[in-house]
Structure formats: structure tokens, C-alpha cells
Amino acid sequence: MNDQAPTGRGLHARVLQSLGPAITAGDYPPGTVLRTDELEHRFDVSRTVVREAVRVLESMHLVESRRRVGVTVRPTEEWDVFDPQIIRWRLAGPDRPRQLRSLTALRSAIEPAAAGLAAEHATPEQCAELTEHALNMVATSRGQQLPAYLVHDVAFHRVVLRASGNEMFARLGDVVAEVLTGRTQHHVMFSDPDPEAVTLHVRVAEAVRAGDAEAAERYTKEITVGALRELDILAP
């Protein structure tokens, strides 16, 4: 017996990682019908494996499955666009620049408000976390250390959203993490982060610690405006 033979879960993941990116890239436009038997043949897997992959796609609202019809790709406006996996697939596809702008516009609307609330509600522990991550961003902002910088950048923004005290904002932590990660992985970042942006993160941390909601909101807005400006250069 081959110890390296794919497991059922591995087969399901292979089907999912092929169909998901293809759908989000527009290879299968809305209304396209995918036949289960054709998918079985194409991927050389069982019907059970195909159904498991389709169930995941259904949970993301990418497709709907109907008896005697097949698996139909749903309209884009019905997709669960906040699903981190969908964001990842779209950022890896041809629509990356538009997706990055859309997500960064969302950030510019939400994160400044979250930072203002964080200045009012952050615990001492959360203030300490923000300061630690901001200083680590400074430490990793030179010498082309983008992977290390990304770790602290993601953590910083998660803390801001969580410290807002608003559970709806906090749930957007995964969305922001995918945006920041996608920018780095797909080289929509300078080899070293913008020094002004790094400094602004330190100022946000200081404003939150000082309870200055107006400054926290203003500095965070400047961060998102700067991110949009970078996209104009790197992902026109």
C-alpha cells in the first residue's frame, strides 16, 4: 500500500483548491452549471469527495447544488465576500488590483472608527500589545524583513479592532489580515515599508494609550489613505 496516497480529505482539498480559484477568477461565470459526474471524471475522485468540496463552496455562497440540475455558480453579489478563503482566492487571481482597492476602502471606513473607540475602551493589556507590535514594526521595517514585519502589522490591526469593544469590528480581523498578507505575498508592497506608515502606527498606539480618540482616528485614516496611494503605484 502506498503510504503517500492522498486521503479523502486531501482529495477534497485538491478539488476545492482547483474549483474555488477558478470560480472567483471568472473561469466559470455565474450561471455556469458543473455536473457532478463530470467533476468526478475530471479530478478522478469519488462522488463523495466531489460532494464534500461542493458543500464547502455552497457554505461560501459561491455555488448552489440542485438535484437533476447540477452545481450552479451563483452571481458574484451573492458570494460571502468576507470569507477569508474567498479573499485569498480573489487576491491570487486576475482581479487582484480591484479586490485590493475594495478591501482597502473597507478598511478606510472601518479602522479609523475602531481606533477612535479603542482609545476609549482599550484595556492596559491591549495598550501594551499595541505598543509592543508598533515597536516591533519599527524594528523590522528595514532590511527587507517583510515576513517578520507582516506578523506584527497583522497583530497590531487585530488588537485595534478587538480593543474597539465592538464585536462587529473585531470580526473583521481576519479580513484585514488577508488584505495585509495578500499585499505582501503578491508583492504589492515596497521591499521596505513606507517609513511614514510605520511612524503612524506608533502614533496610533500612543494615541490609544493616551485616550485621544480624535488623534487615533486621524492617524489610522492616514494609514489607510497611504495604503490606497501605494496601490496606485504598485497595482494600477
Side-chain angles (χ1 to χ4, degrees):
M1 182 176 178
N2 183 0
D3 291 337
Q4 300 303 314
T7 63
R9 186 170 295 278
L11 291 170
H12 140 260
R14 177 166 64 85
V15 175
L16 184 64
Q17 291 303 320
S18 178
L19 288 179
I23 291 171
T24 56
D27 295 344
Y28 299 114
T32 300
V33 176
L34 305 172
R35 306 288 301 183
T36 301
D37 53 351
E38 293 172 355
L39 294 174
E40 291 173 42
H41 178 72
R42 175 183 164 189
F43 293 104
D44 191 23
V45 295
S46 68
R47 179 161 298 192
T48 299
V49 169
V50 170
R51 284 177 175 169
E52 187 177 352
V54 167
R55 273 198 295 270
V56 175
L57 295 173
E58 284 184 299
S59 73
M60 299 175 177
H61 299 173
L62 290 177
V63 302
E64 59 180 346
S65 182
R66 290 185 181 176
R67 222 171 187 186
R68 298 179 183 170
V69 174
V71 179
T72 306
V73 178
R74 298 176 68 164
T76 308
E77 58 267 22
E78 295 180 5
W79 296 355
D80 182 4
V81 293
F82 291 115
D83 187 295
Q85 182 65 78
I86 290 182
I87 293 172
R88 208 169 302 138
W89 287 336
R90 296 180 81 184
L91 288 177
D95 202 28
R96 182 184 305 138
R98 190 171 71 86
Q99 174 73 348
L100 279 170
R101 277 178 175 74
S102 177
L103 290 165
T104 305
L106 173 70
R107 290 183 60 201
S108 70
I110 298 300
E111 288 197 79
L117 288 171
E120 298 173 357
H121 301 294
T123 65
E125 291 76 18
Q126 289 169 331
C127 289
E129 282 185 76
L130 281 179
T131 299
E132 179 183 0
H133 291 306
L135 293 178
N136 281 324
M137 288 172 71
V138 173
T140 56
S141 65
R142 287 292 172 268
Q144 300 183 16
Q145 302 181 69
L146 285 182
Y149 180 87
L150 174 64
V151 170
H152 299 293
D153 195 11
V154 168
F156 181 95
H157 290 279
R158 282 190 185 278
V159 175
V160 169
L161 292 165
R162 194 170 66 247
S164 72
N166 183 307
E167 72 280 6
M168 304 295 282
F169 287 173
R171 286 296 298 273
L172 290 175
D174 287 345
V175 172
V176 174
E178 290 298 335
V179 180
L180 297 174
T181 301
R183 281 174 41 189
T184 301
Q185 290 182 342
H186 298 293
H187 309 293
V188 192
M189 283 273 289
F190 296 114
S191 56
D192 282 332
D194 177 14
E196 182 181 351
V198 178
T199 300
L200 285 168
H201 282 79
V202 175
R203 288 178 176 167
V204 170
E206 292 171 344
V208 170
R209 181 183 288 276
D212 189 339
E214 182 181 349
E217 187 167 345
R218 184 175 69 254
Y219 291 140
T220 305
K221 184 69 174 180
E222 289 183 40
I223 289 172
T224 58
V225 167
L228 281 169
R229 201 161 48 235
E230 278 191 14
L231 289 180
D232 290 336
I233 299 170
L234 299 171

